[in-house]
Amino acid sequence: MEYRPSADWTSTLDLFYSKDKQEDTANQFEVNLGDYNGGYGRINITGAQVDSNGTFIGGVAHNLYPLVRGMYDKRNDKIDAFGWKNEFKLDSLSVTADVSYSKAKRDELLLENNTQLVPAPQLDSLTLAYSGSGFSQLKPGLSYSDPSKLFLRNTIYGSGYGKVPKVNDELKGVRLGATLPVNSFISDIDFGFNYADREKDKHQPEGNINVGTQGDTAIAPDLQYGLVDLGFAGVGPIPSWNVPGAVARYMTFSPNENAPYLVAKAWTVSEKLTTAYVKGDIDSEWGSIPVRGNVGVQIQHTDQSSTSNIYDHTQPAGHEIQPYSDGKTYTDVLPSMNLAFSLTDEQTLRVALAKQVARPRVDQMRSSIDFGVDTATGKPGASGGNPRLDPWRANALDISWEKYFESKAYVAAAFFYKDLTSYIYTQTRDGHDFSSLIKGYVPPAGSPPALPTGTFSAPFNGQGGSLKGVELSASLPMSLFMQALDGFGVVASASFNDSSIKIKDPDSASSVGDGPITLPGLSKRVYNVTAYYEHDGFEARISQRRRSDFIGEIGNFAASRVLRYVVGENITDAQVSYAFGPGSSLSGLSLLLQASNLTDSSYRTYATTKDRPLENIKWGRTILFGANYKF
């Protein structure tokens, strides 16, 4: 909503409200190959196949007691936001005042319950064949398709488990800025300040879902959805059912956040950022070369803190849960320069220099930790978050050259280099100061007193290293080469990236190894290409994007982030659209048909090498039809 009481004052109010509910049900067939089946004897493997990498890739596993699991996830999200912007003209001075507020809230319910064939134990033999490209095969000898023979019962993973995460994220902001024209080498000067106050809190009560007083039981037909076919993985059909209905009818669930392993999952993080800035716009000539761009500096002050409870194993029974808070303040001075040199009417050289910062993830700055003292040595230890994290910091250089042909065609080459002076990854450090947490610690009889320093596993800052890359791009209408191909064209880009930084992640050693790894999210090669045809309102496009393997950060069922190798994607999309022209009775109407992931490419992860697959997920194709009408 815009209000303009005069030519010198414009006031704009933006309001936003969003509410979303999502429910997902999933079903799994699961078996433990770690030589434990609930105490019914040892697991035996015959016909074992091992590849040259020492990886088990197939065989027959005997004496197993599989389970069929139902999983349920209900998520309610709500976002409230508003922004009020006022623009004033005071002679030659332009002033902007902006106030904003947003709050995101998420309430989630995650449930699982487990069934097994009865009477116990119904031991099975499974034929295993692992695949690094397609779906691995898991072929049981028994049938798991009859829901009347599958009972909710206490398996090796219990009869069920549930979580009730709740997240609130609130952001308040104020911005005051002004622009002053200058008749010199600097054409305009922008200056002002921003203030942002963010607070995020998370609670995650959890608990076992136990079979009720009726004991082990089948799930009634009125709660059954029918069979789902896992034949793509060799399992065959298994039942699916109303998981929350089964929990309510047959089971008990009392989530809490006071158990020793749950206390550290609740926390509050606060960030207050105050930024003052000044920027000069350049529109001039250096000799005979036109130059556009800007030069400026930001001074950013950060005040970050976190409060939580910690489970202190050194305290007497009943007093282990203790309040804890920590944080830090720091200031960054961030100069920047962006210049564009018009070498000719068709060629531009761009140069950018800057000091850059990127904030840590909020959950990395939580103060919640799990703390204890080794009674045999007196050495303290903990794991959790780190409210004293510095941001990612880099000295950045970007250079690009662009060559234009007519109105739509260009070729470009760009180089970037970032000298990372600070980055963030999970580390295990010895010598961490725990003196504030061992105050009042009384060692058990015969145990040594607590040492002031010990081992801490948490996100920490690394220092030193570079990230660099080259990007080549082009937009080429085919009419440049042959007029008969008017309307056809290609847009393409290729990026080649490298980093000298190597990190370790002890929490993900089972999937990425315990040695040095590259920065998460970094692909060595990324390619994008689009072929199109445009004529008289008709447009057709087909696009492909490819990237090489990379290390991804994946959320697991424990609501924790772990690192895994991700197979590089190869995705093809297409769309066709038509816009009715001014001479049509449907002028203003546009129709769009869009298809994503035409080849049904899968998402795959693996542990260290591709012959050790972890996930293979097919999301399928997405077809969208849209219409847009302009008045």
Side-chain angles (χ1 to χ4, degrees):
M1 183 171 60
E2 185 173 288
Y3 174 62
R4 191 173 186 181
S6 71
D8 297 326
W9 177 20
T10 302
S11 184
T12 306
L13 179 65
D14 292 310
L15 302 175
F16 178 83
Y17 175 80
S18 172
K19 188 175 183 180
D20 179 68
K21 179 180 178 181
Q22 179 177 320
E23 290 186 270
D24 295 313
T25 297
N27 299 89
Q28 296 179 341
F29 178 88
E30 185 168 335
V31 63
N32 186 301
L33 298 175
D35 201 21
Y36 180 65
N37 60 9
Y40 299 112
R42 300 291 301 276
I43 293 175
N44 178 38
I45 295 180
T46 59
Q49 302 172 38
V50 180
D51 68 10
S52 59
N53 196 37
T55 301
F56 173 77
I57 59 173
V60 181
H62 307 275
N63 214 35
L64 302 171
Y65 197 6
L67 61 87
V68 176
R69 171 179 292 141
M71 303 185 71
Y72 175 78
D73 181 3
K74 182 176 74 172
R75 192 172 73 194
N76 291 303
D77 292 301
K78 187 174 76 166
I79 300 175
D80 299 286
F82 82 84
W84 185 28
K85 181 180 180 181
N86 288 274
E87 298 172 287
F88 305 93
K89 289 187 178 296
L90 307 174
D91 294 327
S92 61
L93 183 69
S94 299
V95 178
T96 300
D98 202 344
V99 178
S100 61
Y101 173 84
S102 66
K103 184 174 184 178
K105 181 179 181 180
R106 170 173 293 177
D107 293 319
E108 196 166 6
L109 174 66
L110 297 101
L111 303 172
E112 66 170 50
N113 43 29
N114 303 320
T115 66
Q116 284 182 312
L117 292 174
V118 292
Q122 295 290 308
L123 301 180
D124 200 355
S125 296
L126 277 79
T127 301
L128 309 170
Y130 290 98
S131 172
S133 55
F135 282 103
S136 297
Q137 298 296 297
L138 186 69
K139 296 181 180 180
L142 301 176
S143 171
Y144 294 83
S145 61
D146 187 349
S148 67
K149 296 179 180 179
L150 288 164
F151 276 43
L152 292 166
R153 65 183 306 273
N154 188 27
T155 70
I156 61 172
Y157 301 111
S159 52
Y161 198 79
K163 303 175 183 179
V164 192
K166 297 179 182 294
V167 178
N168 290 294
D169 195 349
E170 187 177 48
L171 177 62
K172 293 171 281 189
V174 177
R175 178 179 179 269
L176 181 63
T179 301
L180 181 67
V182 179
N183 296 319
S184 67
F185 171 74
I186 301 293
S187 59
D188 296 290
I189 294 179
D190 295 336
F191 57 94
F193 82 94
N194 300 325
Y195 175 75
D197 184 348
R198 182 183 185 187
E199 183 172 285
K200 183 174 183 178
D201 64 79
K202 179 181 180 182
H203 291 267
Q204 188 165 302
E206 302 180 14
N208 292 319
I209 301 177
N210 300 312
V211 172
T213 56
Q214 83 285 327
D216 296 353
T217 180
I219 299 172
D222 66 302
L223 295 177
Q224 295 287 340
Y225 291 144
L227 298 178
V228 294
D229 189 4
L230 302 186
F232 63 88
V235 176
I238 62 171
S240 62
W241 59 87
N242 183 333
V243 174
V247 171
R249 186 178 299 183
Y250 304 116
M251 312 183 83
T252 61
F253 176 40
S254 300
N256 75 93
E257 52 185 359
N258 296 325
Y261 70 99
L262 296 177
V263 171
K265 294 189 176 184
W267 43 263
T268 298
V269 172
S270 174
E271 294 179 293
K272 296 179 173 66
L273 274 69
T274 304
T275 304
Y277 67 91
V278 60
K279 175 174 69 74
D281 293 328
I282 298 171
D283 190 355
S284 182
E285 289 188 357
W286 291 6
S288 61
I289 298 177
V291 180
R292 295 170 289 109
N294 57 71
V295 60
V297 64
Q298 297 183 67
I299 301 175
Q300 186 177 92
H301 177 74
T302 302
D303 182 352
Q304 64 191 39
S305 61
S306 176
T307 59
S308 63
N309 290 329
I310 66 170
Y311 195 92
D312 188 345
H313 295 269
T314 69
Q315 297 298 316
H319 299 276
E320 296 94 343
I321 299 177
Q322 298 288 322
Y324 183 65
S325 61
D326 199 1
K328 72 178 298 184
T329 62
Y330 55 85
T331 300
D332 287 292
V333 179
L334 306 171
S336 66
M337 180 187 70
N338 299 276
L339 299 177
F341 300 88
S342 300
L343 304 180
T344 67
D345 290 340
E346 298 86 17
Q347 297 186 57
T348 301
L349 177 67
R350 301 182 188 273
V351 179
L353 293 168
K355 279 192 172 183
Q356 301 173 336
V357 296
R359 301 286 303 142
R361 278 200 334 259
V362 173
D363 64 292
Q364 293 177 318
M365 296 187 291
R366 69 192 189 278
S367 61
S368 56
I369 61 174
D370 187 12
F371 173 74
V373 174
D374 188 332
T375 56
T377 63
K379 186 175 183 177
S383 62
N386 182 4
R388 294 179 172 269
L389 274 177
D390 284 330
W392 291 67
R393 292 190 176 103
N395 299 316
L397 166 67
D398 294 89
I399 300 176
S400 68
W401 170 80
E402 302 163 1
K403 168 68 175 176
Y404 295 89
F405 307 88
E406 299 182 357
S407 60
K408 289 187 177 181
Y410 73 86
V411 294
F415 169 79
F416 75 89
Y417 179 86
K418 296 182 185 294
D419 173 27
L420 290 172
T421 58
S422 172
Y423 48 93
I424 299 168
Y425 66 102
T426 300
Q427 305 174 46
T428 298
R429 289 188 175 182
D430 206 357
H432 186 81
D433 184 7
F434 288 110
S435 56
S436 63
L437 292 175
I438 61 172
K439 293 178 181 178
Y441 171 67
V442 178
S447 297
L451 300 172
T453 62
T455 303
F456 188 28
S457 293
F460 285 100
N461 291 102
Q463 295 181 343
S466 64
L467 179 64
K468 58 186 176 182
V470 173
E471 181 178 11
L472 306 175
S473 59
S475 175
L476 299 173
M478 293 295 101
S479 58
L480 281 176
F481 309 103
M482 186 181 298
Q483 191 58 37
L485 296 177
D486 184 40
F488 290 93
V490 175
V491 180
S493 67
S495 300
F496 306 93
N497 309 298
D498 191 25
S499 176
S500 65
I501 298 172
K502 301 294 181 182
I503 66 172
K504 293 183 178 181
D505 187 1
D507 293 340
S508 304
S510 62
S511 54
V512 297
D514 55 6
I517 58 175
T518 58
L519 285 173
L522 180 66
S523 285
K524 292 282 188 180
R525 300 173 303 280
V526 180
Y527 306 98
N528 290 277
V529 61
T530 297
Y532 65 86
Y533 175 72
E534 300 173 339
H535 183 69
D536 286 342
F538 175 81
E539 181 178 320
R541 289 176 177 267
I542 184 166
S543 303
Q544 185 182 58
R545 62 183 186 275
R546 305 187 69 163
R547 67 183 297 185
S548 58
D549 292 8
F550 62 98
I551 294 175
E553 197 169 40
I554 312 298
N556 60 15
F557 179 71
S560 301
R561 293 172 180 260
V562 296
L563 300 182
R564 292 181 175 179
Y565 284 94
V566 181
V567 176
E569 67 181 12
N570 183 357
I571 306 295
T572 302
D573 304 324
Q575 73 174 42
V576 178
S577 65
Y578 184 75
F580 292 89
S584 169
S585 60
L586 297 176
S587 177
L589 177 65
S590 299
L591 302 177
L592 171 69
L593 179 64
Q594 188 176 72
S596 301
N597 194 18
L598 277 175
T599 59
D600 194 16
S601 180
S602 61
Y603 169 82
R604 293 184 288 137
T605 66
Y606 58 94
T608 310
T609 56
K610 289 184 180 178
D611 58 354
R612 300 175 182 179
L614 294 173
E615 295 171 294
N616 189 339
I617 303 173
K618 277 189 174 290
W619 302 110
R621 303 170 184 85
T622 301
I623 308 296
L624 299 174
F625 175 77
N628 180 54
Y629 188 77
K630 295 181 180 179
F631 295 93

